[in-house]
C-alpha cells in the first residue's frame, strides 16, 4: 500500500476505533464485536508501525503508550480545583439554601444534584480537541501530570467531537466489581489489599508504569468545566449536556431540582438506593444551576459558596450509633 493510501486508511481506522471505544465505554452500547474491534486495532498498529511518522497522540493505538516514568511532573491549575463545604443533615442543607438566597437578588434559583463519586478529582486539558494533559487535583493549585495513566481510562476520549480548547474536570474511580476482583488477585499473590475503591483508584493512577494502570479498569464521570476559551452556556446543566455532546461520560443520575425540598427528596432517594450502584459514592453534591448566580456568590478561601456536599453518615459511625441505640 502506498503512503497516501495508508494515511487515508489510518485515519478511517482511527475514527472507527474511537467511535467503537465511545460506544462501548461511554454509552455501554457497543455496535461491533470485540473481534472486529481487535482486528481493526491490529490493522491500525501494523500500518502505524510501517509509517511511524503518521503516528498522532489521539490515535487509539496510543492509549496504553509510553514507558514507565521515574516520577510525575508537577502541574499548576490556572483555575484552582477547590474543595466543597459539607452538610450533614437537613438543617445544614436549608442553611445553605438560605445563604444562597441571601447572596443574590435573583428569585428563580434552581440546583443541580450530582452523586458524589468516591474517587479522585482529575483535570483533563484538551487543545484543539486533542487530550494534551491529564492531572490530579493535588492540593487544588498544584497537581501531578498523570496523562499517560489517564489515557488508559477507556471512557476518557483522546479526541472530542469539536476542536475545542477546554479543561474538563471529573472524578476517576474504580467500579466495585473491579475493586473486588483486584483485591482477590492481590490476596492470591500475597500482596496487600486496598482498603476501598477510592484508594485502589488513587493507587492505580499513581503507578509510574501506564501498563499497570491500563489493567485496573478505571472509569470516570466528568462534572465541571475549568478553563474554557469559549466559556458560554448559562447554566451548569447545559454545560453537562455539552460535555456529553463532546463525548464525555456524565453521571446519568444527575438531576436539576427546582428548590431545596426537591434536593432533600433526591438525597432521601439515594440514601436508600445507594447500594444498587456499581460504584461507591460518599454523598450528594448540590450546585446552583445558574452560572451568573454562581459568579455573584463566588468563593470562600477554599470552597465555592454556590455548592455544597451532603455527606452520608459513615457506615461504621452508623453501626456504632445503632449499637448504642439497641444496647
Ligand atoms: N466527587 C464528585 O462527584 C464531585 C466532586 N466535585 C464536584 O464539583 C467540584 C467543582 C465545583 C465544586 C467542586 N462535583 C462532583 N460531582
Amino acid at each position: 500500500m502506498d503512503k497516501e493510501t495508508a494515511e487515508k486508511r489510518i485515519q478511517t481506522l482511527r475514527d472507527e476505533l474511537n467511535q467503537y471505544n465511545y460506544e462501548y465505554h461511554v454509552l455501554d452500547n457497543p455496535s461491533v464485536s470485540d473481534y472486529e474491534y481487535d482486528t481493526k486495532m491490529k490493522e491500525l498498529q501494523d500500518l502505524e508501525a510501517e509509517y511511524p511518522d503518521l503516528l498522532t497522540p489521539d490515535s487509539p493505538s496510543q492509549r496504553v503508550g509510553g514507558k514507565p516514568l521515574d516520577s510525575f511532573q508537577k502541574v499548576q491549575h490556572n483555575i484552582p480545583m477547590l474543595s466543597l463545604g459539607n452538610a450533614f443533615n437537613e438543617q445544614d442543607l436549608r442553611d445553605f439554601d438560605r445563604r444562597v438566597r441571601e447572596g443574590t437578588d435573583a428569585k428563580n434559583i434552581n440546583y443541580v444534584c450530582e452523586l458524589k463519586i468516591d474517587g479522585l478529582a482529575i483535570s483533563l486539558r484538551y487543545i484543539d480537541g486533542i487530550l494534551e494533559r491529564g492531572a490530579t487535583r493535588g492540593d487544588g493549585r498544584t497537581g501531578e501530570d498523570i496523562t499517560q495513566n489517564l489515557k488508559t481510562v477507556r471512557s476518557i476520549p483522546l479526541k472530542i467531537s469539536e476542536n475545542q480548547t477546554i479543561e474538563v474536570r471529573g472524578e476517576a474511580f474504580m467500579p466495585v466489581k473491579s475493586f473486588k476482583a483486584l483485591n482477590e488477585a492481590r490476596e492470591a499473590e500475597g500482596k496487600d489489599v486496598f482498603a476501598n475503591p477510592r484508594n485502589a483508584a488513587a493507587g492505580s493512577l499513581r503507578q509510574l508504569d501506564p501498563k499497570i494502570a491500563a489493567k485496573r479498569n478505571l472509569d470516570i464521570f466528568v462534572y465541571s468545566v475549568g478553563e474554557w476559551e469559549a466559556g458560554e452556556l448559562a447554566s451548569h446543566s447545559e454545560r453537562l449536556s455539552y460535555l456529553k455532546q463532546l463525548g464525555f461520560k456524565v453521571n446519568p443520575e444527575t438531576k436539576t431540582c427546582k428548590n431545596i425540598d426537591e434536593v432533600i427528596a433526591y438525597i432521601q432517594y439515594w440514601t436508600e438506593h445507594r447500594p444498587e450502584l456499581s460504584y461507591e459514592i460518599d454523598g450528594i453534591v448540590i450546585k446552583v444551576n445558574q452560572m451568573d448566580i454562581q459568579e455573584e456568590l463566588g468563593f470562600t478561601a477554599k470552597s465555592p459558596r454556590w455548592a455544597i456536599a451532603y455527606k452520608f453518615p459513615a457506615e461504621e459511625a452508623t453501626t456504632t450509633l445503632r449499637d448504642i441505640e439497641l444496647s
Side-chain angles (χ1 to χ4, degrees):
M1 184 188 296
D2 66 82
K3 186 163 185 180
E4 197 183 323
T5 316
E7 191 159 14
K8 286 194 183 67
R9 182 64 186 152
I10 281 174
Q11 195 49 56
T12 305
L13 287 167
R14 276 187 193 145
D15 294 342
E16 285 175 349
L17 287 162
N18 278 330
Q19 175 61 19
Y20 296 157
N21 183 78
Y22 170 71
E23 290 164 352
Y24 190 101
H25 292 283
V26 177
L27 303 183
D28 196 17
N29 182 21
S31 65
V32 296
S33 66
D34 292 0
Y35 175 77
E36 182 165 351
Y37 181 90
D38 296 342
T39 306
K40 291 200 168 180
M41 178 64 84
K42 179 82 175 61
E43 185 187 349
L44 174 63
Q45 287 166 331
D46 292 348
L47 280 172
E48 287 175 341
E50 199 178 337
Y51 299 99
D53 58 318
L54 295 179
L55 254 186
T56 57
D58 68 306
S59 174
S61 66
Q62 302 309 299
R63 264 197 186 280
V64 187
K67 55 192 185 331
L69 300 173
D70 298 326
S71 66
F72 294 117
Q73 298 296 319
K74 293 289 183 203
V75 298
Q76 293 307 314
H77 298 296
N78 298 331
I79 297 179
M81 291 179 73
L82 295 169
S83 55
L84 284 157
N86 290 331
F88 297 97
N89 53 51
E90 181 167 332
Q91 192 50 52
D92 291 347
L93 291 164
R94 293 191 182 282
D95 290 347
F96 166 70
D97 178 49
R98 180 177 39 74
R99 291 195 301 271
V100 165
R101 284 184 287 106
E102 283 169 357
T104 174
D105 298 335
K107 287 294 160 262
N108 66 334
I109 300 164
N110 53 54
Y111 294 108
V112 175
C113 287
E114 301 170 9
L115 299 184
K116 189 170 181 296
I117 312 302
D118 196 3
L120 62 159
I122 53 114
S123 155
L124 300 166
R125 200 164 66 179
Y126 291 77
I127 296 179
D128 294 335
I130 307 284
L131 177 59
E132 296 292 326
R133 189 185 85 181
T136 63
R137 176 181 173 279
D139 65 7
R141 294 182 190 293
T142 306
E144 290 182 318
D145 186 324
I146 55 165
T147 307
Q148 286 195 149
N149 286 340
L150 287 172
K151 284 176 86 164
T152 72
V153 180
R154 305 304 193 275
S155 51
I156 291 178
L158 300 178
K159 178 180 172 189
I160 52 181
S161 61
E162 295 171 29
N163 68 345
Q164 285 281 339
T165 294
I166 186 169
E167 182 206 358
V168 176
R169 293 162 172 194
E171 200 81 3
F173 67 94
M174 186 180 289
V176 174
K177 250 169 60 187
S178 308
F179 166 68
K180 288 179 175 164
L182 175 63
N183 268 354
E184 274 167 30
R186 290 175 71 87
E187 197 133 25
E189 293 155 19
K191 288 181 185 167
D192 291 347
V193 294
F194 288 105
N196 53 53
R198 194 218 156 281
N199 289 5
S204 302
L205 286 172
R206 262 205 304 269
Q207 289 294 325
L208 290 165
D209 180 357
K211 286 181 182 48
I212 298 176
K215 294 197 184 83
R216 295 291 174 83
N217 294 317
L218 295 172
D219 204 339
I220 185 172
F221 286 117
V222 300
Y223 51 61
S224 84
V225 176
E227 294 176 280
W228 184 21
E229 63 187 13
E232 66 253 0
L233 293 182
S235 73
H236 179 62
S237 50
E238 284 170 301
R239 286 179 167 221
L240 292 178
S241 303
Y242 182 61
L243 292 178
K244 220 184 281 183
Q245 212 180 294
L246 288 179
F248 291 101
K249 195 164 176 179
V250 175
N251 192 282
E253 311 307 342
T254 302
K255 184 170 186 279
T256 301
C257 294
K258 280 202 306 290
N259 54 44
I260 200 68
D261 295 322
E262 283 196 7
V263 168
I264 290 165
Y266 180 90
I267 289 174
Q268 284 162 344
Y269 177 89
W270 285 107
T271 301
E272 189 191 331
H273 291 266
R274 178 180 176 197
E276 297 158 24
L277 293 166
S278 60
Y279 44 85
E280 287 198 347
I281 62 172
D282 60 342
I284 304 290
V285 180
I286 300 111
K287 300 170 184 176
V288 168
N289 193 22
Q290 292 90 343
M291 296 310 290
D292 55 348
I293 302 176
Q294 285 191 15
E295 262 125 59
E296 193 178 0
L297 294 169
F299 300 83
T300 68
K302 61 183 183 50
S303 302
R305 289 197 184 87
W306 43 265
I308 198 158
Y310 169 80
K311 304 283 284 191
F312 292 128
E315 254 79 0
E316 54 284 351
T318 320
T319 318
T320 317
L321 272 178
R322 204 178 302 126
D323 290 349
I324 292 166
E325 278 154 14
L326 296 176
S327 59

